[in-house]
Amino acid sequence: MTVVRQGDLFDPKCPTRMLLDRIGTKWTSMAIKALSEAAPDELRFSALRRRMPGISQKMLSVTLQNLTRDGLVARRVEPSVPPGVYYALTDLGLSLEVPLGSLRAWAEEHMHAIELNNRRADSLDQPGRPASRVAADDQGSV
């Protein structure tokens, strides 16, 4: 019988904390989403990169290496010139799409409130602009 231990998220050496550091990045979330939309098919590196605007080749490579190492993504190399490299989510990776999808939905739902709070906080850092003026400005914004 395997006993699963709960980690201490506040301990820097906690395995759960380290995993959350890896899966909590925007690039990981985008890669998981793109690969889940293609599932059960595979995506070539270049096709995946096109689906993730703004990511550099190096960052995508590092992200995929980490996801592969964690067993969330399967990598297949087709021997050709140049070699074709294909990526697909494993069952474990597919199981991550649901919680990441929920997190993305939360972000979409609350993005406006967060942006308002950021503008208010930023205005407090600007001398000479009263916070009440920012609040009034935000009334009409969408």
Side-chain angles (χ1 to χ4, degrees):
M1 179 171 158
T2 303
V3 177
V4 177
R5 275 186 338 149
Q6 292 290 322
D8 177 3
L9 197 57
F10 296 101
D11 179 355
K13 295 178 184 171
C14 173
T16 303
R17 179 176 173 167
M18 289 186 268
L19 178 58
L20 287 171
D21 281 345
R22 289 194 308 277
I23 65 173
T25 71
K26 68 180 175 186
W27 299 125
T28 293
S29 182
M30 290 174 72
I32 295 291
K33 180 171 177 50
L35 289 168
S36 72
E37 289 173 348
D41 295 330
E42 301 171 311
L43 286 177
R44 287 189 72 146
F45 183 93
S46 57
L48 188 54
R49 187 167 179 213
R50 281 191 300 273
R51 292 180 185 208
M52 298 172 62
I55 192 167
S56 68
Q57 184 171 337
K58 175 158 177 64
M59 183 52 69
L60 179 55
S61 180
V62 168
T63 299
L64 289 169
Q65 286 172 5
N66 289 334
L67 292 172
T68 301
R69 183 174 184 265
D70 288 336
L72 300 170
V73 168
R75 180 180 186 263
R76 181 176 68 84
V77 179
E78 191 172 275
S80 59
V81 178
V85 182
Y86 298 86
Y87 296 91
L89 289 179
T90 63
D91 289 340
L92 186 60
L94 280 169
S95 74
L96 183 57
E97 171 51 22
V98 173
L100 286 180
S102 296
L103 184 58
R104 286 190 303 269
W106 181 91
E108 288 290 328
E109 182 180 339
H110 298 285
M111 186 172 45
H112 180 70
I114 300 294
E115 288 173 348
L116 287 174
N117 290 333
N118 284 330
R119 282 200 298 272
R120 287 183 184 125
D122 291 347
S123 73
L124 296 175
D125 294 338
Q126 296 176 9
R129 184 164 188 219
S132 60
R133 176 69 188 144
V134 172
D137 290 347
D138 290 336
Q139 297 285 327
S141 63
V142 175

